[in-house]
Amino acid sequence: MTRPITTVQLAALHGPNIYRPQPGVILRARTNDDYRERLRTALKHGALAVGLMIAHLHITAHKQPDNVLLSAFFTTNEPDIGAELCQYVIDGLNAELTGDTTWDADEPLFALRDRRQAQALPVAALQLIANARQRDIPTTRLPDGSLLLGQGERSWIATRDELFAISDVQPPWSRLGRIPIVAITGERYRSQAVQAQAARYDGITLEHADRHAVIRALADPACTTLVVGFDTDSLLREGLPFDRCDLAVITDRAGQRPLHAFDDDEWLKALGLPMLCSTMPTLINLTDPALHPLLSYAPNGIIGWQAQTEAMD
């Protein structure tokens, strides 16, 4: 039986991303017709049934020669659950459109609701996050369910058991905070920029890094400074793993073809994503005309960056 809706891209974005500065979910699917309203209604009803808070739901339909490309995005603090909800909705719509009476709409929805409830943060964790936000201290939920407050040498971890304990958790607030972060994107010259910035700081250096590698470094109490060269694909699929950096460096656009699920414009936006979180003027390679569309978006201005081309040849 042919499925009228085929998922092209489904990603849980855990931080600032090319669509919004909040975590969210991006879904793209090929269809044989414009099913925007059916998708919108199914996502809203599914989120309500699961108990998932979603916002900024935006759905578009682009007609192509042989099909229609549906794109949906929404923000949520639980992007993994949101992505699973999207898959459930696509499965349900396919069952409806093909007349598949064997598909069980209830069991997977109840299972998703139970999983969301099991992963929900206890009141103690929500209080910690609220208190940290008032102090401008970043918080990150780690894969094992613990909560990271602060970064690197200025961090502290509340374990899952501590978060679910009856007694109040008291972090050492006075020593918690942020560490310097240098975020670097690019393709041909990215490694060169990473090496140059690493020579200026005594800390942890990451190259071709994804979200999980960055979070491991930020949870390391020995990390005094983080210099990270980002894998562009990771920025597109996962978003940024932090909400602020001290410096962003964008080295070049040339030489890398985007994945089939992303177009050139999205790839360029991913390269420029760290500059939106930078507190200092962004360093950009002005000799690369492909980067020029980003120049007007740097919130704190730009400074020209020059690649050492003789070192690359």
Side-chain angles (χ1 to χ4, degrees):
M1 182 180 295
T2 302
R3 291 167 62 89
I5 303 178
T6 303
T7 300
V8 175
Q9 177 191 358
L10 179 56
L13 304 166
H14 291 267
N17 52 78
I18 65 172
Y19 309 101
R20 298 282 301 191
Q22 302 91 9
V25 175
I26 177 67
L27 166 68
R28 286 198 177 101
R30 287 195 180 92
T31 71
N32 55 20
D33 204 346
D34 184 350
Y35 297 124
R36 273 180 295 180
E37 292 310 313
R38 286 189 177 185
L39 179 60
R40 187 188 312 277
T41 299
L43 284 172
K44 288 183 176 180
H45 288 176
L48 182 63
V50 171
L52 179 70
M53 297 293 294
I54 67 174
H56 304 109
L57 176 60
H58 182 64
I59 303 177
T60 60
H62 299 283
K63 290 186 178 180
Q64 299 180 330
D66 300 324
N67 53 57
V68 176
L69 181 65
L70 285 181
S71 297
F73 175 82
F74 57 85
T75 60
T76 177
N77 288 330
E78 300 176 86
D80 286 328
I81 298 295
E84 292 188 53
L85 173 64
C86 286
Q87 187 58 62
Y88 165 83
V89 165
I90 293 299
D91 291 341
L93 289 176
N94 274 322
E96 174 191 340
L97 293 169
T98 59
D100 182 3
T101 58
T102 65
W103 187 72
D104 187 344
D106 294 330
E107 184 175 350
L109 192 65
F110 294 155
L112 187 56
R113 182 195 61 189
D114 293 343
R115 188 152 57 254
R116 190 206 64 79
Q117 292 175 345
Q119 296 176 8
L121 291 171
V123 174
L126 298 177
Q127 291 174 335
L128 287 177
I129 292 173
N131 290 336
R133 184 177 294 114
Q134 291 178 348
R135 295 171 167 85
D136 192 30
I137 296 172
T139 60
T140 306
R141 193 169 186 186
L142 300 180
D144 63 359
S146 57
L147 186 65
L148 172 69
L149 280 72
Q151 297 170 337
E153 65 175 357
R154 302 192 63 192
S155 70
W156 179 82
I157 295 177
T159 67
R160 179 178 174 83
D161 290 341
E162 289 173 332
L163 293 174
F164 281 89
I166 298 177
S167 59
D168 292 336
V169 180
Q170 295 298 330
W173 293 113
S174 61
R175 73 170 184 84
L176 301 184
R178 301 173 183 269
I179 62 171
I181 298 176
V182 179
I184 302 167
T185 62
E187 287 143 15
R188 184 182 179 194
Y189 300 119
R190 182 181 62 205
S191 295
Q192 181 187 124
V194 169
Q195 294 169 11
Q197 292 297 326
R200 298 184 178 130
Y201 297 98
D202 182 18
I204 291 180
T205 300
L206 301 175
E207 170 60 304
H208 204 68
D210 60 10
R211 176 177 178 271
H212 296 290
V214 173
I215 289 178
R216 284 195 299 270
L218 293 177
D220 185 347
C223 183
T224 57
T225 301
L226 179 61
V227 176
V228 52
F230 275 105
D231 171 31
T232 311
D233 180 46
S234 171
L235 291 176
L236 282 163
R237 290 182 293 102
E238 303 171 317
L240 274 174
F242 45 73
D243 63 349
R244 188 186 305 171
C245 63
D246 295 81
L247 176 64
V249 184
I250 309 173
T251 66
D252 64 285
R253 169 65 181 86
Q256 174 69 54
R257 297 296 300 168
L259 299 182
H260 71 279
F262 306 106
D263 59 30
D264 288 334
D265 182 60
E266 290 174 318
W267 196 269
L268 182 62
K269 287 179 180 179
L271 291 172
L273 187 55
M275 77 178 183
L276 302 178
C277 300
S278 175
T279 60
M280 296 174 59
T282 298
L283 303 184
I284 298 183
N285 182 2
L286 298 177
T287 66
D288 186 345
L291 298 179
H292 290 181
L294 296 175
L295 300 183
S296 61
Y297 294 98
N300 294 307
I302 62 168
I303 296 175
W305 180 87
Q306 183 66 50
Q308 300 298 318
T309 55
E310 67 274 8
M312 303 296 296
D313 300 327

